Amino acid sequence: MTIEDGVRAIETGVATDFTARMDYGGYLSLDTLLSAQNPISDHRDEPLFIAAHQTTELWLKLALHELRGVRADLDADDVRRARKGLARVKHVFRTITDQWSVLATLTPSEYTEFRGVLGNASGFQSYQYRAVEFVLGNKNERMLTLVRSRPEAHDLLAELLDSPTVYDAFLSFLARSGHDVPRHLLDRDVRRAWVEDASLLPVFTAIYEDTTAHWAEYAMCEDLVDLEDAVQLWRFRHLRTVQRTIGFKVGTGGSSGVDFLKRALDLTFFPELYTVRTHIGA
C-alpha cells in the first residue's frame, strides 16, 4: 500500500471493473433495499422510525429461517446443528433488543409530530413476528385475520399454524432418545397454543438430575431457556420504549399499547423448563 499526496492508493489486486461481474451492491440488491425507505412526512425523524422497523423485520426473517431449520434438525436427531441455530436466533434477539436504544432517542414530542401519518400501521401487524411466535408455540388462529389482505403472509401463518413447533420437535426427539414423554403430548393438536403440562416435569427432572447421562438433552433445554429469556428481554425493552415515547396512549393499530405489551410478558414458550427448576434436587 502506498500513499501519494496524502491519499491512500487502491491495492493493485482490488477489483474495480464490474461491468460483467457481480459487485457488493448487486449481491445485496442494495438498489432495492435502499430505495425501500419512503417517509410519508417531511419530518426529520421519520427515516429513523422506518429504518429501525425495517431492520427488525430483516432480523425476524433470519430468525424464522433459523427456527424452521432447528425444527428440521431435531427431526433428523441432529442436536449439534439445532443448538447452533438456537444460538444464532438468541443473538438475533439480543441484537434487535439493543436496537430499541436507537429508537428510544425519538422523544415523545418528536414522534407526535409525525405519528398521525402512520394511520393504522402498527408493529402489532408484523406477520413475521407472529410467525416466530407460532413456530415457538404461541399460536393464535385469530391472528390470521390481521393478514387477510396479504395472501403471502396469510399462507405463511396458516402453514405454521398447522405445523409442529420447535418444542414439539424437541419432545419427539426426547421420545426417540428413550425418554418417557407422555403420548398425549406427542399426539397433541399442533394448531393449539402450548399449555403447561405437569406430566412432562418428570422427564425434565430426570434430565437435569443426571446431566452426565443426558448431556445433549440438557444442553438443548438450556438453549431453549436462553432463547426464551432473549425473547422476553426484547418484549420488555419494547414495552419500555413504547411507554417512554407514547405513555399509555392507544396503539396506532388499535391495541391498548403498553397494557397489551405488559400482558405479552406473561406468555411463555417452554413453561416446563422453568417450572422444573423448583423440582430439581427436591
Side-chain angles (χ1 to χ4, degrees):
M1 180 176 63
T2 61
I3 299 179
E4 299 178 3
D5 298 326
V7 178
R8 186 173 63 177
I10 297 177
E11 295 177 350
T12 56
V14 173
T16 57
D17 183 1
F18 299 99
T19 305
R21 289 185 288 183
M22 181 187 299
D23 67 356
Y24 177 79
Y27 175 69
L28 295 177
S29 300
L30 289 184
D31 288 345
T32 299
L33 182 64
L34 298 179
S35 64
Q37 295 73 49
N38 301 298
I40 300 175
S41 74
D42 59 0
H43 197 282
R44 176 175 177 175
D45 295 315
E46 192 183 351
L48 160 64
F49 192 79
I50 293 172
H53 287 83
Q54 286 185 338
T55 51
T56 294
E57 289 296 329
L58 287 173
W59 284 120
L60 288 175
K61 182 176 183 178
L62 177 62
L64 179 60
H65 168 75
E66 292 293 339
L67 288 170
R68 296 175 90 166
V70 167
R71 188 177 58 185
D73 294 332
L74 289 170
D75 289 342
D77 295 335
D78 189 348
V79 175
R80 291 184 179 182
R81 188 66 188 85
R83 293 193 63 204
K84 176 63 180 289
L86 288 175
R88 186 169 291 167
V89 177
K90 174 181 65 178
H91 286 294
V92 164
F93 271 92
R94 287 180 177 176
T95 296
I96 59 177
T97 296
D98 287 343
Q99 284 188 182
W100 287 118
S101 64
V102 183
L103 196 57
T105 64
L106 183 66
T107 67
S109 55
E110 290 167 344
Y111 183 44
T112 299
E113 290 171 0
F114 70 87
R115 187 178 188 234
V117 305
L118 303 179
N120 290 126
S122 166
F124 181 80
Q125 299 146 13
S126 170
Y127 73 87
Q128 290 198 124
Y129 176 66
R130 297 298 167 197
V132 168
E133 290 224 324
F134 275 26
V135 79
L136 288 177
N138 183 24
K139 297 189 179 185
N140 184 345
E141 186 174 4
R142 288 173 292 184
M143 289 298 175
L144 271 67
T145 61
L146 296 174
V147 291
R148 282 181 298 191
S149 60
R150 295 182 174 272
E152 184 176 343
H154 185 278
D155 291 347
L156 172 63
L157 291 183
E159 175 204 339
L160 293 173
L161 181 68
D162 290 331
S163 303
T165 68
V166 167
Y167 204 34
D168 290 319
F170 181 48
L171 296 183
S172 294
F173 162 76
L174 291 179
R176 291 192 301 274
S177 300
H179 296 278
D180 191 19
V181 179
R183 189 75 241 175
H184 71 276
L185 295 179
L186 299 174
D187 296 334
R188 79 180 192 93
D189 180 2
V190 298
R191 291 174 60 90
R192 300 179 64 85
W194 182 268
V195 177
E196 184 169 4
D197 193 310
S199 67
L200 189 55
L201 291 176
V203 175
F204 289 132
T205 301
I207 290 172
Y208 273 88
E209 291 188 338
D210 192 353
T211 58
T212 301
H214 310 299
W215 181 260
E217 298 94 320
Y218 163 71
M220 271 293 303
C221 288
E222 287 297 281
D223 288 338
L224 291 172
V225 170
D226 283 347
L227 174 58
E228 174 145 342
D229 281 355
V231 174
Q232 288 286 35
L233 287 171
W234 180 85
R235 286 171 172 165
F236 179 74
R237 194 63 187 276
H238 184 188
L239 160 67
R240 298 300 297 182
T241 303
V242 169
Q243 187 170 344
R244 69 178 285 164
T245 307
I246 67 168
F248 294 91
K249 291 186 180 75
V250 173
T252 49
S255 75
S256 57
V258 167
D259 287 340
F260 173 81
L261 296 174
K262 283 182 178 178
R263 292 196 298 273
L265 292 174
D266 293 329
L267 299 174
T268 178
F269 302 119
F270 320 119
E272 296 83 5
L273 292 179
Y274 289 86
T275 302
V276 72
R277 282 152 166 74
T278 306
H279 300 268
I280 298 169

